[in-house]
Amino acid sequence: MSKLKKVSAHVLVCQHKTCRKQGAKASSRALKQALKESTLAGHVMITKVKCLDQCGRGPVWAVYPDGVWYGGVDEESARRIVTEHLEKGRAVEERVLHEMQPCEREER
């Protein structure tokens, strides 16, 4: 548990064959490199997932806890997501597929 204390964001990276064909490997490398060069090194968790169910819109990433889903993430936009979203808290609007909204929960 101690490792999670310093995590500020979690990026889910789709590795489905469709996203891989659309450049997921290169954008993932750019993400890792940009994080190494940033102040966020060691503070962002990256998880490769089998599928984010957005085939044809890839490479697809989901950034939490913000709940922002990105599509068409190429190497340039990968670097921008690190500098604009993860460092400054501003979504890269031209790549946003969906922004999750908090659920209203009924009182029990």
Side-chain angles (χ1 to χ4, degrees):
M1 277 289 231
S2 62
K3 281 185 148 185
L4 287 178
K5 290 181 183 175
K6 58 184 175 177
V7 172
S8 61
H10 188 182
V11 182
L12 304 177
V13 179
C14 183
Q15 292 296 306
H16 187 269
K17 64 182 177 181
T18 306
C19 280
R20 285 195 318 265
K21 286 179 185 176
Q22 294 174 314
K25 198 171 189 176
S27 64
S28 293
R29 275 195 307 266
L31 168 64
K32 290 176 187 176
Q33 186 61 42
L35 285 171
K36 283 181 187 176
E37 296 168 358
S38 77
T39 60
L40 296 171
H43 297 281
V44 175
M45 180 183 291
I46 302 167
T47 302
K48 294 177 184 177
V49 297
K50 186 175 178 180
C51 185
L52 287 170
D53 199 28
Q54 296 296 307
C55 294
R57 302 175 86 183
V60 176
W61 295 2
V63 178
Y64 286 93
D66 302 329
V68 178
W69 286 50
Y70 289 105
V73 181
D74 57 13
E75 293 174 72
E76 179 186 342
S77 55
R79 289 186 288 275
R80 286 192 56 220
I81 290 168
V82 171
T83 58
E84 294 297 316
H85 186 149
L86 297 174
E87 288 187 327
K88 299 176 184 171
R90 296 188 305 250
V92 178
E93 293 297 329
E94 64 270 14
R95 294 287 182 213
V96 172
L97 292 177
H98 183 71
E99 291 188 51
M100 303 293 290
Q101 299 298 315
C103 295
E104 294 293 325
R105 296 184 184 247
E106 290 182 27
E107 289 188 39
R108 294 179 183 196

